[in-house]
Amino acid sequence: MKKNLILLIIICFLPSVMNGAVGNHFYLNGICYTITKEVVVYSSTSYAGGSVKVGLENGWTSNGSGDVTIPSTVKYNGYYYAVEGVLNDAFRNSTTITSIVLPSSIREIGDRAFIGCSSLVSVNLPGSVNALRNSVFEGCTSLESINMNNVRRIYPRAFYGCTNLKEVIFPKDLTSIDSNSFEGCSSLSSITLTADKVTFGTNVFLNCSSLSTVNSYMTDITGLSSVSCFQNISPSCKLFVVNGMKNSYEGSPYWASSFSQILVFRPSVGDVFTAPLLIGDGNEVMEFEVTDEDGLTVYIKSIKEGVISSAVEPIDVEIPECVIDRELSFKIGGVKNSAFENTKIGRLFFNHNLRVIESSGFANCNVLNSASVPWRTPAEIEANENCFNGLPSNAVLYVPAGTKERYEDLTPWNQFSQIIESSPISTGDISARYGSKANLPIFLKNTETISGLQFKLTLPEGVTVVDHESNLVTSTTERTEGFTIMGRKDPDEENSYLFVVLSLNGDAISGTEGAFMNVRLDIAQNVGLGVHDIKIEDVYMTTETFDTLNPAESTSELTVKDFMLGDVNNDGIINITDAIGIINYVLKNTPETFIEGAADVNQDGIINVTDAIGVINKILN
C-alpha cells in the first residue's frame, strides 16, 4: 500500500506535456504563431510556459494588416507562450501592413521576414534584436524610418530597394553592414555612423542617388575597402567627420574617392562633448551641450577634472568666450543647472557671450568673494534667482560703469552684499628712476562705443606732466589716431591735471580694450624711493547714443627705483643685454623685465635705436 502511494505521488509530480507540440501552429488576431517550445506542467497550479515564433516553420504566410503590434506573450489552449522571434518569410508580401511594433521578448528576425511589405511605413525594433538578416526589409517601398536600437550587424540586401527610406542613424554597437544592404534606396538623403568602426561590404549604398550627407563619428576607418560602397550617390554628397580625423579620411583612397567634400561636421542641438579650457594656470575638462547649431553656441553642463574640480583653496575663474571642438569655435553662452556647484571659486569673471545661468549654477560656492559682469543691460541675462544660492555674506558684485542701479533692482544680482561700478579707464603700473622721465599709458576697456571722455589725473608729489611750450606732453595711440587731447593743470588741486579726449571729425572709440593715450611724466630728484599712487577720478564718458557714464575711480602704482640710465633690465650692470633689450622694445618685442625710464638714455622722451647706441657708448666709455 505504501509503495503504491509513493508511486502515485511521484506520478503526480512528473512533468506532463500539454497540447501544442513543437512545430504546431495557431492563429490569433490573424497572426500565425509556430510553437518552438512546449508548455510543461508540473502540477495543477504550476507550469513552465512555452515559446513561439511568428510565422510558419517551413514556408511563408501572409499575416495581419494595418498597424500590427506583436505581444510579448500569447495565450493558446489556456496556456501562455513567450513570443521569442520572427521566422523566415513570416510577413512576406503582406502588402496591407502599414506599421509593426515588436516586443522586447523578440531575439531574432529571420531572413526575408518583411520582404515585399510595400505598404509598411515604420518599424519599431526592440533593443533585444542585434541582427537584421538577409533581405529582411527588401522591397518595402513605403518604409520611411526605422529605429535600429542595438543592431550589431546588417546582412546582405536587408533594405534593398526601400525607395522611400529617407534617413538612417546607425547604432553605436554596429560592427558591419553587408553587401547591397541599402542598394537602390533612392530617397535616402542622410546617414549617421555613430560607431568607432564599421566594416562595409560591396555596393552597400549603390545607387542611393539622393544621398547628400554622411555624418561619421568613426575614428577607425579601415572598415571601408571598396570604392563601390558609395557608388552612384549624389555627386555633391558631403562627408562630415569628427575633429582630428579629416586628414585620415582625405588620405584614404576609398573615402577620398567616394566624397568630393570632406568637412568637419556641425553639431546638432543637444549634442554633448567634452573639451579642456584654460583656467588660470591650468586646464579644466568641461562638458558642453550644444544649444544653437546655427550660432555655434554651447552651455557649460558640468566640470570633469582639472584645476577647478580639484581646488581646495580659492581660485580665480574667468569663463572664456569660446571653446574649440571638432575644429569649430563655439561661443560659451550659458551655464547649466548646478554646473559649478560646491566649487572653490574665489573670484568669478563672466564673458560677454554668456546669456543664461540656470538654477544652482554657482550654488554653495562658499568662498566666492567677488563676481565681475560685463553686461550693461542685466535684464537681458536669464539668471535664475537660485543660481547663487549659498552666496557668502561678504561677496561683492562688480558691474560696468553707470549700471549699478540696474543691478540693484534685479535678483539674483541684488543678493550680493555690495555692488560696485568698475572703472573701464585706468593707468598702468610703471617703474621709473628719480630724476628721470617716464611714459604713463592710459587704458580704456569699454564695452560701448565712446564718443568722448574727460578725467582727472592725480600724481604723487614731485611727479609732474612734462610741459613743452606751455602744452602738456601727451600722445594718442592707434585706438585714438586722429583724436585731440586737451589738458591743463587743475587750478584747484596740487599735482592734478584735467584731460579731455575727443575727435573733431566725429570719430568714436569702439568697444575693445588697450591704451588710448600716453602721458609723459617728469620724476623729480627728491621723489622718494618706493611705491606711490597714481589716481584717475572724475571720469565722464559720452556713448554713441549720447548717454553719459560716470565710472568709478581707479588707482595704479608708480614704483620709484634707484636704477642707472641704460640698465634697462635693472640687474645693476650696463652691458650688451641692455642694448638688445632696447632694440627688442623698439621692434615691439618688449622683454619681461624692461625699465622704460632707464631705456630713455638721452632723456628725449622717446625710446628708439639712438638709446641703444647710447648704451653701447656707455659700455665702450
Side-chain angles (χ1 to χ4, degrees), residues 99 207 237 239 244 392 434 523 568:
S99 71
N207 296 328
C237 184
L239 171 64
Y434 60 82
I523 294 91
V568 300

Side-chain angles (χ1 to χ4, degrees), residues 205-370:
F205 299 101
L206 177 65
N207 296 328
C208 292
S209 54
S210 298
L211 188 59
S212 59
T213 303
V214 175
N215 298 311
S216 176
Y217 287 82
M218 293 192 300
T219 54
D220 183 340
I221 61 174
T222 58
L224 181 65
S225 57
S226 170
V227 294
S228 69
C229 181
F230 292 95
Q231 192 171 348
N232 295 338
I233 62 174
S234 170
S236 60
C237 184
K238 298 180 179 66
L239 171 64
F240 292 90
V241 301
V242 295
N243 180 31
M245 287 298 297
K246 183 178 180 182
N247 290 340
S248 298
Y249 280 88
E250 290 176 337
S252 164
Y254 306 111
W255 290 101
S257 62
S258 299
F259 300 93
S260 59
Q261 299 183 69
I262 301 178
L263 310 168
V264 176
F265 77 89
R266 296 179 72 86
S268 299
V269 171
D271 283 357
V272 175
F273 64 87
T274 57
L277 281 183
L278 181 62
I279 303 292
D281 296 328
N283 282 324
E284 178 70 41
V285 176
M286 294 185 179
E287 187 177 49
F288 299 89
E289 180 177 323
V290 178
T291 56
D292 181 357
E293 59 190 53
D294 295 322
L296 291 180
T297 301
V298 295
Y299 289 0
I300 297 174
K301 188 174 183 181
S302 65
I303 60 174
K304 294 297 185 183
E305 56 180 356
V307 294
I308 301 176
S309 49
S310 62
V312 293
E313 298 293 332
I315 62 170
D316 292 349
V317 173
E318 181 174 356
I319 299 178
E321 293 189 357
C322 62
V323 59
I324 305 297
D325 182 65
R326 309 167 191 172
E327 298 180 7
L328 296 173
S329 178
F330 294 85
K331 292 186 295 186
I332 299 177
V335 174
K336 299 287 286 183
N337 294 330
S338 305
F340 290 90
E341 188 171 7
N342 294 317
T343 52
K344 296 295 182 181
I345 300 176
R347 294 193 301 169
L348 176 63
F349 302 87
F350 289 100
N351 71 60
H352 288 275
N353 292 330
L354 199 139
R355 285 291 182 271
V356 175
I357 309 173
E358 294 186 355
S359 177
S360 301
F362 296 92
N364 301 317
C365 293
N366 55 17
V367 295
L368 183 66
N369 58 57
S370 71

